[in-house]
Amino acid sequence: MAFLIRTIDFTAAGREIIRDRTVDQPSLTVGRAAENDIHLPDLAVEQHHVRIDTAADGTLTVAALGTLGFGLDGRVVNDGVIDPRTGGEIALGAARLAIAREGDGTILVTIRQVVPDEGKGDALRGFALASVLPSKRAMSWVFAGAIILLLLMVPVASHLLRSPAKPDPTGKTPGAVLMDSAWTSGELSLKHHSLEDNCESCHVAAFESVQDETCISCHKETGDHAPMGRLAKGMPALSPGDALQWKIAEGFGKEGPLGCVACHSEHEGPVRTQAGSEAFCGDCHEKLDTRLTDTALANAHDFGKSHPQLRPVYFASFGAAKPVRAAPGSKPVERSGLVFPHDVHMNPRGGAARMAVSLGQYGKPLECKDCHSLTPDRMSFKPVQMEEDCEACHSLVSGRTAVGGFSKLRHGDVKDLAEDLARISTGPRPRVAAGPARQRPGQIGSASPYRADFGRPVRAYIGLSNALSVGGVCTECHLPSRGPTGQADLIPVNLPDRFLTSSFFNHEAHKKEKCTDCHAADTSKVATDLLIPDLKSCRECHLGAAAVKTAKIVPSDCAMCHAYHVPAGQWTGLKAPAAPAPHYKPPPLPPGPAKTTVAAVARAARK
């Protein structure tokens, strides 16, 4: 059986449009889905709503295919029967399907959209707000004029009539432009928040991007990542799309992909400026050696997958003026001038541990923090100082004074040691109580601290050369040497201020870890061991930025350890000390006898 589907639509002017199509099949489907025989784009209609089938007796059976029913001759049903000879009407949403039989036996399905009752609409229109308002066209002109007046004319007039504001990085210059908030794309960052009312501090010229010169006028100490010519050569080539965008941007005064504003965007809210992503660094450094063939930098783009071995700086020879950088994969031998076995001091059952337990300052075996103190910024460590960190065990007490106190040898300079030994040898001996006093070796009385045993009297058998020679008190920690004229001397302590100079490391962030997890100090037997962890040790916790964060793994991008602008206060390059000098020079003792030369000390010792 054939169906003639007739769709009746109306134009905006009310003209009727009729479209006919014939479907030669025994059934029809109606719904919102496009594959239905009759497509009704109405949200009130299901995807597959109704199916119309022809019966053997010539009637039509109508059944709902979904959960919603349909209207049939004014009743809501889920199924029904229509006799084409008498006709029927199916209601689906706003559509009405009138069904009848044509003279040739074809079933005619006429589809119309329901038009609201105009008479009812006219009756309700008097209660609508639109009946008392101006027309839409009039209100559009009013709102457009208000926008032009308030958001354009008022700010422009305020800018032209006010006193010109001078660039002021403090943001204290008065004379803000009225009602200019619509012109800003957002609030300034936290660091620039004080400049909210002083646009001229950054935007020197109207309708021109912020220039590098303006940025550098305040950020004077911010160094370049590299010389501009070399930086441009090391950058990968721009894609055609990016190159076109930069051409357009440069036409409006933007200073190209190497300018400040290429990386530092503003007006993104009162937040901290975010560091560059790992991809930002990897764009240049992943294949840097292909563009800069003379570079000493190794390729890097992901800390967990592609990163060069750590190369700490150290002094490779005694008295060197400049530290050297370790070769990749090498085991550096540090020449610091010290004799210090870490394992002896960290052995919890050794002699150093027993001495520390007996001293009130420690009360337990030595730990790393007993000698190494963090700097105020919690990043690095203060230099180890004899008087503060070592003297509790390695005392420099040399005897009693005439007034009942203790005399100490000064530490840090051989000349000071010579003067103190001369003072002891030539000065008056203190009076002691009559009768022998039983003393423990190495102590002056039971309540005094441990001291080096210089013998009694000192003048009898000790001199400066003995203290500085192998087996002397000084060579317990320092390496002996000979001066220009052959006199006994010590190799100066020479340690770099920073070992990893191309990065920074936050020890405070690692306070939950044990020092020996990264630094093998408990197994180090000689002072020549450079106890700086290698890349493998760091990768036990730190992987690339794309890594999944867990209780053990920390996703780590380049900015976690490296700064883009150098120097930026986070690290400094290789710097030689002013002159080979002791690592620490203590303050002088109170005034004593006249200074004596080394020769005088030797003569006094032989008497």
Side-chain angles (χ1 to χ4, degrees), residues 196-219:
E196 289 281 359
D197 295 331
N198 193 344
C199 303
E200 287 86 347
S201 290
C202 299
H203 299 278
V204 177
F207 304 105
E208 183 180 74
S209 176
V210 177
Q211 303 296 296
D212 292 352
E213 181 182 1
T214 307
C215 301
I216 297 173
S217 65
C218 293
H219 301 275

Side-chain angles (χ1 to χ4, degrees), residues 87-132:
E89 184 180 72
I90 300 174
L92 293 173
R96 298 294 181 265
L97 283 67
I99 299 176
R101 184 187 296 276
E102 292 283 280
D104 59 356
T106 303
I107 304 298
L108 174 64
V109 181
T110 304
I111 306 171
R112 291 175 178 270
Q113 297 295 323
V114 175
V115 179
D117 188 349
E118 295 185 2
K120 184 178 180 181
D122 293 338
L124 296 176
R125 186 173 299 171
F127 295 94
L129 186 61
S131 63
V132 296

Side-chain angles (χ1 to χ4, degrees), residues 113-160:
Q113 297 295 323
V114 175
V115 179
D117 188 349
E118 295 185 2
K120 184 178 180 181
D122 293 338
L124 296 176
R125 186 173 299 171
F127 295 94
L129 186 61
S131 63
V132 296
L133 289 177
S135 66
K136 292 181 179 179
R137 184 180 297 275
M139 287 192 295
S140 298
W141 282 108
V142 170
F143 286 135
I147 291 173
I148 293 174
L149 175 65
L150 298 178
L151 303 183
L152 178 61
M153 297 181 66
V154 170
V156 171
S158 173
H159 173 71
L160 295 176

